[in-house]
Amino acid sequence: MTQPVLKVNQVRKSYGAEVVLEDISFSVPVHTATVFIGSSGSGKSTLLRCINLLDQIDDGSIELDGEDITAVDADVDKVRRKLGIVFQSFNLFPHMKVIDNITLAPMKVQGISKEVARENAYKLLDRFGLHDKAQDYPDRLSGGQQQRVAIIRSIAVAPRLLLLDEITSALDPVLVNEVLSTVRDLKIEGMTMVLATHEMGFAKQVADEVCFLHHGKILEWGTPTQILEAPQQPETKEFLKRVHEAGRL
Amino acid sequence: MSNEIGRPSESDSGAAPYNFGGEWKPSQLEIDRRAARKERNRRNAAIAIISSIFVIGGLALVAVTSPGWKSLSDTFFAWAYGVEVLPKIILGFGTNVALTLIASVCVGIFGLSIALIRTSRSPALAPFRILATVYVDVFRGIPMLLVLLLVGFGIPALRIKGLTNNVLILGTLAVVITYTAYVAEVIRSGILTIHPSQRAAARSLGLSHFQSLRFVVLPQAFRRVTPPLLNDLVALIKDTGLVSILGVTDAVRAAQIASSRSFNYTPYVMAAIIFLLVTIPLTRFTDRTLRRSIERQNATGVA
Ligand SMILES: Nc1ncnc2c1ncn2[C@@H]1O[C@H](COP(=O)(O)OP(=O)(O)OP(=O)(O)O)[C@@H](O)[C@H]1O
Ligand SMILES: [Mg+2]
């Protein structure tokens, strides 16, 4: 059996007295997508931030390709180079053109020449239908286009694992689809991903495994069909019922 | 058709229907509107000109016809004498320019360093952070004139060998010390306005702490603080005139010498005009930069 890309072991995280993550364990095999669902405040963003080492965990460990990235002597910059993260609020660099947003990390972090970095960036922009936006500043783009640029920016460094945190919740419904289809394409191409989302329909389409997070604990996990259609736990049922009522299923 | 979707265009009301893809010609409605706007602008300009002539002309008339005007113009506006001493004042102004250039480069470098130290969180820099804070608090809080006197007369009084008592160097030093404190604060405030998510995005792409600063945080911070920095530059140019109290022969000192020789104040007016020739264009430029940066922030700020 091959080793999973990501392995999270009994991770715990608290902010002061508030325990945000408790005994979180799961693993993500290569080329698969693990989707976290759960109500607001259940700890989804915190989990992704911990994996990306933007936040420090209080207990447990996280392994990337079998290497403990939460070890005291782990090289944070090196770990981050293997991880891509896309945020809910895009966080593009407003003072740089789209193309420069994308080529910054390949050039400065990976030391790729400007010509090659640009060539790769244009290939990615082409593939996601954004070629004509390369020379624009981010604020000239629609929300959906900005988010797709943010996705391209994080895959331009060819990460081992891509973390996507509610990447569509700042977008209106029409734009959601173009972003989701971008993620679906990535999934088909074999990108390994961990996602947090409120879009259950989307979760069903891309997830290999769905985890339901409730007050910082994984209450239930399984295939999308198991969790989304035949949940066992009362909390999961309750959550899905509320999502259903809000018209998101 | 009865179940038409959307509103039909009201082509009979004079406004041509919008023609997608075809060449666009302004409708009669728009042509009229433009003509009306043009007319209104012309009228506004005329009103502005006429009222300016009245107000400014009236004020000038009052000044010139007042009983003190003769002695006033003899004392301050003796142009013949002014032109005579002008070369000396311009020569002195060269010192102000040189001082400004040297000081602004030094202030830029030191100000940026102090801003970076104060915004860093590295534990190794903790003592420097404290020192930088004290420095900024002290030198922003005392008049520059005092700093000039302390440095310009105080340092030579120490009589330490190897330490300069060249007043020009000491004067520059005093200016740099004071303005570094101001500029450091301006730059620091710029850095603090950049949202932490920008740094997080940079770091998550694998950029180092230094690279995130260099490529993401500082370029944005500098854009925001360009207008206040230009303001400080204007203030710096003016304040270089203060070094004259140390005996540096700058424009102010040259004017002072010329004036005391003849008991006429025209040289001071000449010096003032020379300063204005530099500071007014710079101030206009600052205004324009500020306006542009506000426009840019309004364009992006909403999202
Ligand atoms: N920096 C912080 N300091 C203190 N508490 C925090 C911090 N960040 C998050 N929390 C708390 O941690 C809990 C989980 O937050 P988190 O953002 O991970 O939730 P989430 O599942 O992503 O919610 P949402 O769906 O609304 O994005 C919340 O109760 C929140 O108040
Ligand atoms: Mg969240």
Side-chain angles (χ1 to χ4, degrees), chain A residues 83-236:
Chain A
L83 294 170
I85 187 165
V86 182
F87 305 92
Q88 182 174 342
S89 50
F90 326 149
N91 298 353
L92 292 175
F93 305 133
H95 62 298
M96 290 181 178
K97 290 176 178 169
V98 164
I99 185 78
D100 300 322
N101 261 279
I102 299 171
T103 55
L104 179 68
M107 281 163 56
K108 302 299 170 192
V109 178
Q110 301 180 312
I112 292 172
S113 79
K114 186 171 175 173
E115 290 71 38
V116 177
R118 281 190 165 239
E119 206 184 299
N120 292 339
Y122 271 112
K123 265 186 219 150
L124 288 170
L125 285 166
D126 262 346
R127 213 167 76 204
F128 296 112
L130 288 167
H131 190 103
D132 54 329
K133 303 292 176 195
Q135 297 297 330
D136 278 341
Y137 283 93
D139 58 3
R140 301 276 305 273
L141 271 52
S142 77
Q145 290 166 341
Q146 288 189 43
Q147 191 57 294
R148 278 147 67 206
V149 172
I151 294 172
I152 292 174
R153 183 176 70 176
S154 39
I155 60 175
V157 286
R160 269 296 273 169
L161 175 69
L162 189 60
L163 310 171
L164 304 167
D165 188 6
E166 278 169 42
I167 54 169
T168 57
S169 54
L171 302 174
D172 64 68
V174 183
L175 301 180
V176 166
N177 283 329
E178 63 184 37
V179 172
L180 294 187
S181 88
T182 301
V183 177
R184 264 191 299 268
D185 288 349
L186 290 180
K187 169 74 170 89
I188 291 165
E189 284 162 29
M191 179 67 78
T192 313
M193 298 188 272
V194 177
L195 306 90
T197 188
H198 285 151
E199 304 280 343
M200 297 307 143
F202 171 62
K204 209 180 288 177
Q205 288 174 23
V206 298
D208 295 285
E209 182 169 63
V210 174
C211 298
F212 174 63
L213 206 57
H214 185 72
H215 290 315
K217 283 189 200 144
I218 299 181
L219 271 196
E220 197 168 356
W221 67 95
T223 64
T225 331
Q226 276 170 359
I227 303 299
L228 299 173
E229 278 158 27
Q232 301 300 310
Q233 302 293 327
E235 288 88 351
T236 320

Side-chain angles (χ1 to χ4, degrees), chain B residues 150-151 153-161 163-165:
Chain B
L150 282 170
V151 173
F153 296 132
I155 290 183
L158 291 174
R159 296 181 195 288
I160 298 174
K161 268 227 189 72
L163 230 62
T164 180
N165 45 18

Side-chain angles (χ1 to χ4, degrees), chain B residues 153-185:
Chain B
F153 296 132
I155 290 183
L158 291 174
R159 296 181 195 288
I160 298 174
K161 268 227 189 72
L163 230 62
T164 180
N165 45 18
N166 177 324
V167 280
L168 186 57
I169 295 178
L170 291 174
T172 311
L173 182 65
V175 171
V176 169
I177 289 175
T178 303
Y179 271 83
T180 295
Y182 294 144
V183 166
E185 276 309 275

Side-chain angles (χ1 to χ4, degrees), chain B residues 121-140:
Chain B
R121 271 182 231 122
S122 136
L125 290 177
F128 296 101
R129 254 191 317 270
I130 297 169
L131 288 177
T133 310
V134 171
Y135 168 81
V136 168
D137 284 353
V138 167
F139 287 99
R140 270 203 322 167

